[in-house]
Amino acid sequence: MKEYRLTDWLPTTKKEVELRGWDELDVIIFSGDAYVDHPSFGAAVIGRILEAEGLRIAIVPQPNWRDDLRDFKKLGRPRLFFGISPGCMDSMVNKYTANKRLRSDDAYTPDARPDMRPEYPTIVYTQILKKIFPDVPVVLGGIEASMRRLTHYDYWQDRVRPSILVDSGADSLIYGMGEKPIVELANRLKRCLAETTTTEASTETHLSAADFKQLIADIPQMVYLAKEVTPHEDDIQLFAHEECLKDKKKQAANFRHIEEESNKYAASRILQRVGKQTVVVNPPYPPLTEAELDHSFDLPYTRLPHPKYKGKRIPAYDMIKFSVNIHRGCFGGCAFCTISAHQGKFIMSRSKESILKEVKAVMELPDFKGYLSDLGGPSANMYRMHGNNLEACKRCKRPSCIHPNVCPNLNTDHGPLLDIYHAVDSLPGIKKSFIGSGVRYDLLLHQSKDPNINRNTQEYTRELIARHVSGRLKVAPEHTSDRVLSIMRKPSFSQFGEFKKIFDRINHEEGLRQQLIPYFISSHPGCREEDMAELAVLTKRMDFHLEQVQDFTPTPMTVSTEAWYTGFHPYTLEPVFSARTAREKLAQRQFFFWYKPEERRNIISELKRIGRADLIDKLYGKR
């Protein structure tokens, strides 16, 4: 085991800054999460990326926003900018259930304390910093800001809100995975300040707000507010924020453009008026190359929580400390998911060398016993998958490469992933590598025109089930109604049935007694009580007592959320029913638990009320 010193982490206090011999910082990052120096934690990644550029970086994790604000003052003003990293999870999903009940724990906080971050830390932290250091630029990042870059529906406040730049007062926002734009921004600011210092005897230490916006105007993935914008020929002009407040159909129509541009290889700039200003969303960078992604993962992370948390448990860290992320991006395009909106639909894969290097680092951890909890990604089995004809992909704006059917241009070869599994499993000291990420079974059932690809898929499926399941394999059919599944952009439930037969057969042949654990959602747009009643019957017939279930939670920047709030599907602008009241949502959710005695009377009563008494016998037998 490697011995670490305090200076192996990025500094979090004045004393730690002094231990490094620094008298000034270039960037100070305020994080809503505890500081875990690991490539799965956004603040650590951005800090290490900037450190690799020769910059002096500090992180202030979970600052106290309720006292005299000493946490916001203790490191002084940075030379370049403040960064806000609100957390790996959206703060409101982190703090509240789908029924808007306050959660009792926070997985990203020491000992799971639920009171260490405010609601909307992006807004709270920025407003505090702007009062204390009004001349220092504040740059937002992370999932909370990324998903709120334009007008969006906020479920917890039940209202449409403008870009988070308006509510926070920040100078700019970086959406998506921020390594490239944050480096470009830092280097431009560094050069600009160096030129200012050498050419002028100026007392100004930071750019004016106007000069800052001019400096970032052409950096991809940056978002900023401008009073005047010179339009480009291919700009997309959304309906203004104020129009969306008055007309839900305009809000729905906006979202189609937002999602399509998020998923395009070469996207257009997006403009949206809000009051007397315009939100400018620059198009994203192209997907990272293998070398660029390796660079991000190969930085000198300790892979450990900061020593200040000694003796305390951070649940989110415990969950991932023996896991390795092998790729980014997801081309599934699920209507309720924000992964492609944040990471993009193009798969960015790490090299085998980089993956093995990280696995060896995990093996050095003090309590590693030989078992990797996950070799995965947003979807476990998309590693190295891409279009055969990349030029066709560059012209495509389809939100999903596999719905309503698998794109004929998609290379679905599981061979490279098998190679990773074999290389990892052959390392001395690895007893077993499990796949904890969700698996897309529609990719496993897909028949390619290439027989070699089909052979690899069959081999992968068997190896996955026989060697990489820790007793339970997670998959996400999400529903049983094909009509609802179509709105979700998920495959027909019949495919889940096919995969279950394969899973059961391989288990029998291998002498295993493993479980298939399906995930389901209630109250998704398009879903009615009758659909949930039929879900109960179908899953009972397959001998499932459901555990992994959730009530649909509208989160910013998904097709499902826009349909739920507006009542219109963003792509067709046709009306879509959604269960919106607490009573409607509870009536749907109860069908998951038909097998609980305490639910039986309510379910029978509800089936009679909706005219589906025929399902009572199917659930409970002849009375």
Side-chain angles (χ1 to χ4, degrees):
M1 175 193 167
K2 183 176 177 180
E3 291 291 330
Y4 287 104
R5 298 166 301 171
L6 186 57
T7 50
D8 289 320
W9 281 264
L10 296 171
T12 66
T13 64
K14 191 76 173 171
K15 178 186 174 184
E16 290 169 42
V17 172
E18 291 167 354
L19 278 174
R20 288 186 170 229
W22 297 346
D23 57 6
E24 187 180 36
L25 289 162
D26 293 308
V27 179
I28 301 172
I29 299 169
F30 284 83
S31 171
D33 292 340
Y35 172 31
V36 179
D37 193 40
H38 188 284
S40 291
F41 289 76
V45 173
I46 295 302
R48 290 297 189 184
I49 280 283
L50 290 172
E51 179 190 49
E53 295 296 307
L55 298 172
R56 290 161 297 184
I57 313 300
I59 292 179
V60 181
Q62 300 188 313
N64 190 338
W65 73 100
R66 290 172 291 205
D67 61 2
D68 60 2
L69 308 181
R70 68 187 67 182
D71 284 347
F72 293 88
K73 302 170 187 173
K74 65 183 181 182
L75 298 181
R77 65 180 62 231
R79 200 167 67 94
L80 302 182
F81 60 88
F82 287 114
I84 307 291
S85 176
C88 293
M89 276 180 73
D90 184 279
S91 70
M92 301 307 283
V93 176
N94 186 296
K95 291 185 82 72
Y96 292 95
T97 68
N99 292 323
K100 301 185 181 179
R101 291 199 179 102
L102 200 60
R103 297 188 193 274
S104 58
D105 55 13
D106 180 341
Y108 292 88
T109 297
D111 292 336
R113 278 186 58 172
D115 59 346
M116 294 294 284
R117 82 177 80 221
E119 296 178 3
Y120 311 103
T122 298
I123 296 172
V124 174
Y125 295 170
T126 301
Q127 290 179 348
I128 291 171
L129 289 170
K130 278 297 180 185
K131 283 179 184 173
I132 302 171
F133 306 104
D135 60 323
V136 182
V138 175
V139 181
L140 311 181
I143 194 81
E144 182 167 272
S146 185
M147 298 298 100
R148 290 171 169 80
R149 55 190 185 254
L150 290 154
T151 293
H152 57 279
Y153 172 68
D154 187 292
Y155 171 67
W156 297 275
Q157 295 192 347
D158 191 25
R159 68 185 179 97
V160 173
R161 299 182 67 162
S163 167
I164 200 165
L165 287 174
V166 175
D167 285 336
S168 67
D171 296 273
S172 67
L173 179 160
I174 290 174
Y175 66 92
M177 308 302 276
E179 291 104 327
K180 291 189 81 168
I182 201 76
V183 166
E184 179 63 22
L185 168 66
N187 285 334
R188 286 193 189 190
L189 278 171
K190 191 167 63 169
R191 287 194 302 268
C192 188
L193 292 175
E195 290 165 7
T196 303
T197 304
T198 56
T199 59
E200 300 175 20
S202 173
T203 57
E204 293 292 323
T205 56
H206 291 96
L207 296 176
S208 69
D211 287 341
F212 180 81
K213 285 173 184 175
Q214 188 175 352
L215 185 79
I216 67 172
D218 63 341
I219 299 179
Q221 272 172 248
M222 297 288 294
V223 185
Y224 59 95
L225 289 169
K227 290 183 178 174
E228 294 182 12
V229 180
T230 303
H232 300 162
E233 185 180 345
D234 60 347
D235 282 349
I236 291 176
Q237 181 77 55
L238 301 180
F239 290 112
H241 173 70
E242 289 73 19
E243 292 180 88
C244 295
L245 293 177
K246 296 174 185 174
D247 188 340
K248 289 183 176 182
K249 191 173 274 192
K250 288 182 177 178
Q251 170 67 10
N254 272 358
F255 189 76
R256 176 173 184 169
H257 295 297
I258 295 169
E259 185 182 51
E260 286 180 343
E261 297 311 306
S262 297
N263 284 321
K264 280 165 66 174
Y265 195 97
S268 297
R269 189 172 71 159
I270 294 177
L271 307 177
Q272 184 184 33
R273 292 288 296 174
V274 51
K276 295 180 179 179
Q277 300 186 92
T278 298
V279 182
V280 181
V281 181
N282 287 340
Y285 274 96
L288 296 184
T289 63
E290 180 187 277
E292 288 169 338
L293 189 59
D294 283 355
H295 170 63
S296 182
F297 278 91
D298 291 348
L299 294 167
Y301 304 98
T302 63
R303 299 187 64 86
L304 297 166
H306 189 278
K308 66 172 24 172
Y309 307 122
K310 187 175 181 181
K312 296 181 179 179
R313 176 175 170 263
I314 301 172
Y317 170 68
D318 287 349
M319 190 171 73
I320 56 88
K321 65 180 175 180
F322 300 139
S323 72
V324 174
N325 195 330
I326 63 176
H327 70 269
R328 280 188 191 163
C330 180
F331 50 69
C334 298
F336 48 82
C337 182
T338 59
I339 290 171
S340 65
H342 191 65
Q343 295 190 12
K345 73 174 182 181
F346 292 95
I347 304 302
M348 294 159 275
S349 300
R350 297 171 65 186
S351 69
K352 180 160 70 170
E353 292 72 24
S354 176
I355 294 167
L356 292 176
K357 179 181 176 184
E358 187 175 357
V359 170
K360 289 172 184 174
V362 172
M363 293 166 67
E364 293 293 314
L365 292 173
D367 46 353
F368 182 71
K369 300 291 193 295
Y371 298 95
L372 286 176
S373 60
D374 191 20
L375 268 176
S379 287
N381 57 323
M382 289 185 181
Y383 180 76
R384 288 247 186 270
M385 292 187 183
H386 53 78
N388 290 306
N389 177 358
L390 185 56
E391 293 307 309
C393 292
K394 288 180 179 180
R395 296 190 298 271
C396 177
K397 60 181 182 181
R398 237 176 98 166
S400 172
C401 302
I402 50 180
H403 186 271
N405 43 55
V406 176
C407 175
N409 186 40
L410 181 65
N411 182 335
T412 58
D413 190 4
H414 285 76
L417 188 51
L418 273 170
D419 184 44
I420 294 294
Y421 290 1
H422 295 159
V424 168
D425 287 350
S426 66
L427 289 173
I430 293 291
K431 297 175 183 175
K432 211 163 183 96
S433 60
F434 297 115
I435 308 306
S437 306
V439 173
R440 289 296 303 227
Y441 54 79
D442 42 353
L443 283 172
L444 301 182
L445 297 173
H446 174 65
Q447 287 296 304
S448 169
K449 292 180 180 178
D450 184 337
N452 290 325
I453 288 178
N454 291 335
R455 273 195 296 274
N456 284 340
T457 301
Q458 287 183 334
E459 184 184 345
Y460 174 84
T461 304
R462 177 170 288 276
E463 175 151 334
L464 169 73
I465 295 168
R467 300 192 57 187
H468 298 282
V469 176
S470 59
R472 313 174 95 196
L473 179 64
K474 296 186 295 188
V475 294
E478 308 294 9
H479 214 287
T480 57
S481 162
D482 284 353
R483 179 179 49 77
V484 177
L485 287 166
S486 178
I487 296 172
M488 290 178 164
R489 295 191 190 135
K490 295 289 286 186
S492 167
F493 188 66
S494 62
Q495 290 199 33
F496 174 72
E498 285 182 58
F499 180 70
K500 185 178 184 303
K501 288 177 184 174
I502 294 170
F503 181 85
D504 291 344
R505 174 176 56 79
I506 292 175
N507 266 284
H508 178 72
E509 291 169 358
E510 298 285 339
L512 299 168
R513 299 184 65 185
Q514 299 177 140
Q515 287 181 290
L516 195 59
I517 305 297
Y519 283 64
F520 289 95
I521 296 176
S522 60
S523 300
H524 188 276
C527 178
R528 297 180 181 273
E529 282 179 58
E530 184 175 348
D531 299 310
M532 292 301 299
E534 290 177 348
L535 181 151
V537 170
L538 284 169
T539 53
K540 180 196 176 185
R541 195 176 294 161
M542 299 174 83
D543 203 24
F544 283 114
H545 283 193
L546 301 181
E547 305 168 22
Q548 300 294 337
V549 298
Q550 67 181 77
D551 197 21
F552 171 67
T553 305
T555 56
M557 211 166 165
T558 70
V559 172
S560 301
T561 295
E562 297 303 328
W564 191 90
Y565 161 68
T566 66
F568 301 100
H569 194 285
Y571 279 73
T572 64
L573 298 183
E574 293 294 320
V576 178
F577 166 80
S578 292
R580 291 182 55 85
T581 69
R583 191 232 163 263
E584 288 175 326
K585 290 163 79 70
L586 187 61
Q588 290 205 16
R589 183 178 171 80
Q590 69 182 346
F591 284 103
F592 285 139
F593 308 109
W594 60 268
Y595 54 87
K596 294 186 176 181
E598 63 268 27
E599 300 290 350
R600 180 169 176 156
R601 178 182 292 180
N602 285 338
I603 287 174
I604 289 173
S605 174
E606 198 64 21
L607 287 172
K608 289 177 179 177
R609 190 187 72 80
I610 64 174
R612 290 306 307 268
D614 60 301
L615 297 180
I616 296 173
D617 288 347
K618 292 180 180 178
L619 277 179
Y620 297 113
K622 297 290 183 184
R623 289 161 291 159

